[in-house]
Amino acid sequence: EAQVTQNPRYLITVTGKKLTVTCSQNMNHEYMSWYRQDPGLGLRQIYYSMNVEVTDKGDVPEGYKVSRKEKRNFPLILESPSPNQTSLYFCASSPRDILYGYTFGSGTRLTVV
Amino acid sequence: QKEVEQNSGPLSVPEGAIASLNCTYSDRGSQSFFWYRQYSGKSPELIMSIYSNGDKEDGRFTAQLNRASQYISLLIRDSKLSDSATYLCAVLQAAGNKLTFGGGTRVLVKP
C-alpha cells in the first residue's frame, strides 16, 4: 500500500530533551515536507526537501532540523524542544511534479512539558 | 494579509443541500490549487486539484477557479453527514514549489 509512515503517533516529552520524529514514504517521491498544525493557525510548513541532500526552510523552521540522506526518509529533529513546539505534526510527500498534490502521513501529536 | 484565506466557519448545511466554500489567495503567480478534507484528529486527504480557469467536477464535488479574481471555490452537492469535516484550500506558489494552506473551513452537515 502506498503510504507515508510517521512515528511515533503520540509523544510526551520534557523541555530540552532531544527527539526525532521519523517519516518514511514508499512511493519513490522526490518531494517531502513537514508541517505543524495548531488551532487557529492552520498548517504551516516547517521544512521541505526537493530531493536527496536538498532541504530548505519553510515558514516556521526555528527550533527544528531535518535531513534527507535517503529518498524515502525525512526525519524531523527537535534538538531542544520547548513547550511552544507542542503541536500536531504532519509529514507529506509528492512526486517531483507537485501538481498531483501531497500525500500526508497520519500525524504525530507532540506534547512538550 | 494572509497568503491563502478561508472563512473558518462553521458552515452549517442541511443534509442533501449544497455546501459552498470559498478561498482567496494573494500570489498571482500561483500554479495549482487543491482542496483537502480533514476529519478531526486525522490527516488531510486530497479531494480535488484544479489548474485551469473554470469548473472541474468529480462526483458530488465541483471546484471553481477564477485567476483574475484570485479566488477558488468548492461546491459539495447532495451533502451527506459524512461530509462534516474541515476543508482546506491549498495553493502551489510560483516560487520554490511551496504549498501553502488556508486555515480551513469547518463544515457541519445536519440531519
Side-chain angles (χ1 to χ4, degrees), chain B residues 7-29:
Chain B
N7 188 318
S8 62
L11 176 65
S12 186
V13 180
E15 193 175 8
I18 296 175
S20 178
L21 291 75
N22 304 315
C23 174
T24 59
Y25 62 96
S26 60
D27 181 3
R28 280 199 173 273

Side-chain angles (χ1 to χ4, degrees), chain A residues 39-84:
Chain A
L41 297 175
L43 278 162
R44 293 179 293 168
Q45 191 176 49
I46 304 170
Y47 269 95
Y48 63 96
S49 169
M50 298 182 74
N51 215 324
V52 176
E53 302 291 1
V54 180
T55 62
D56 210 343
K57 296 177 181 179
D59 295 317
V60 288
E62 295 79 18
Y64 304 95
K65 285 176 58 177
V66 292
S67 67
R68 188 92 182 272
K69 294 184 171 59
E70 306 166 278
K71 196 172 187 179
R72 63 182 293 127
N73 295 323
F74 191 45
L76 180 69
I77 303 157
L78 285 73
E79 294 270 3
S80 183
S82 62
N84 65 11

Side-chain angles (χ1 to χ4, degrees), chain B residues 2 9 11 46 51 53 56 63-64 74 80 89 101 105 111:
Chain B
K2 287 186 180 178
L11 176 65
L46 182 66
Y51 319 124
N53 262 343
K56 180 180 178 182
Q64 299 172 318
L74 180 70
K80 304 185 184 306
C89 170
F101 286 82
T105 298

